[in-house]
Amino acid sequence: MAKNIVMLCLEALTLCHLTFAFEPKPLQDFCVADLTSSARVNGFACKNPMLVQANDFFFSGLNIAGNTSNPVGSKVTPVTVAQLPGLNTLGIAMARVDYEPWGVNPPHVHPRASEIFTVLEGSLLAGFVTSNPENRLITKVLHKGDAFVFPMGLVHFQRNMGYGKAVAIAALSSQNPGIITIANTVFGSNPSIAVEVLAKAFQVDKNIVDQLQSKF
C-alpha cells in the first residue's frame, strides 16, 4: 500500500504536495487540543474525550474592543486553537480587528491560511500584493457589511479610512494560521539581520536601516 502511494506521488508530485500541505480531515467527532501535552504532532494531541467540556468549544470576548493605543493604531484579538482548543483539527480560526482613526493593520502574511475579511463598522482600505515578478497591488475600500478575500501566503494590509473607529472580523482557513508581520520580521529579528544585507535589499543607506531596527 505504502509503495503504491509513493508511486502515485512520483507520477503526480505536484498534486501530492498540494494534498499534504493542508490540515488532515478529522477522524472523529472532535479532537480538543490538549495544550498541556508534551506530544509533538502536526497540531495538538487530543484531550481525553471523556474529559471534554462545553468550555473547550467556547470563547468569550469578541464583543470587547481591543486596545489600539500603539504605534500602528490597531489591535488583533485572535481566536485560534491556542485560545479555543476545540478548533484542533477543524481547519478554521477567526479574529477581531479594531482600528483607531487612520490606524493600520500593517502588511503581513498568514503562511497557513486564506482569509475572508468582513467590515462590521467604519470604512477600511484593504489590499494585497501578488507574488513576483508582477507584485501587483490590488485594493478596495470596504464599508460596513463588505467582505474581501486575502489569498493564502500573500502580503496584505488594512487601513482605517475614516475619522471614527472601525471594526472587522477575519475568518481564516487554518486552526493556526500564523502571522508574519513584514516590518517586525525584517527589522526586528533576533538576532538582527546584518545591516549590510538590509541596506542592499532595500537600496537605502545603512543609517536608515539602523534607525528602522531601533524601532523594533
Side-chain angles (χ1 to χ4, degrees):
M1 180 68 176
K3 182 178 180 181
N4 290 338
I5 293 174
V6 172
M7 292 303 295
L8 287 172
C9 285
L10 291 175
E11 293 173 3
L13 188 57
T14 302
L15 177 61
C16 284
H17 281 182
L18 289 173
T19 302
F20 292 159
F22 292 92
E23 294 166 279
K25 293 181 180 179
L27 301 177
Q28 57 278 317
D29 288 344
F30 50 78
C31 174
V32 172
D34 183 353
L35 302 180
T36 66
S37 174
S38 60
R40 294 291 179 264
V41 294
N42 187 23
F44 290 92
C46 299
K47 184 177 180 179
N48 183 336
M50 299 306 296
L51 301 178
V52 166
Q53 303 293 328
N55 279 344
D56 292 316
F57 303 94
F58 173 78
F59 178 90
S60 180
L62 285 180
N63 61 311
I64 301 171
N67 183 0
T68 56
S69 299
N70 54 62
V72 297
S74 70
K75 174 63 176 178
V76 177
T77 303
V79 187
T80 69
V81 68
Q83 293 81 33
L84 182 53
L87 288 177
N88 198 37
T89 76
L90 299 186
I92 55 173
M94 65 185 302
R96 171 181 172 139
V97 192
D98 291 275
Y99 306 81
E100 283 290 304
W102 309 107
V104 171
N105 189 9
H108 61 279
V109 170
H110 300 297
R112 295 179 288 274
S114 300
E115 174 181 346
I116 184 165
F117 179 87
T118 305
V119 178
L120 301 183
E121 294 291 342
S123 298
L124 294 164
L125 173 69
F128 65 88
V129 181
T130 65
S131 55
N132 297 347
E134 290 84 7
N135 299 129
R136 180 184 172 203
L137 175 62
I138 297 175
T139 63
K140 179 77 173 176
V141 175
L142 308 177
H143 305 283
K144 183 177 180 178
D146 292 345
F148 196 75
V149 170
F150 301 116
M152 182 185 297
L154 295 187
V155 174
H156 58 283
F157 63 91
Q158 305 98 39
R159 184 191 185 203
N160 187 354
M161 299 299 289
Y163 291 95
K165 294 189 176 184
V167 184
I169 288 287
L172 301 115
S173 62
S174 171
Q175 68 183 44
N176 183 23
I179 183 166
I180 302 170
T181 307
I182 307 304
N184 299 56
T185 302
V186 172
F187 297 108
S189 67
N190 184 20
S192 299
I193 299 174
V195 171
E196 293 78 10
V197 172
L198 295 180
K200 187 173 286 291
F202 286 91
Q203 298 292 290
V204 296
D205 188 85
K206 293 179 181 179
N207 291 331
I208 295 176
V209 174
D210 285 332
Q211 182 180 1
L212 288 168
Q213 286 183 325
S214 69
K215 294 180 180 296
F216 294 93

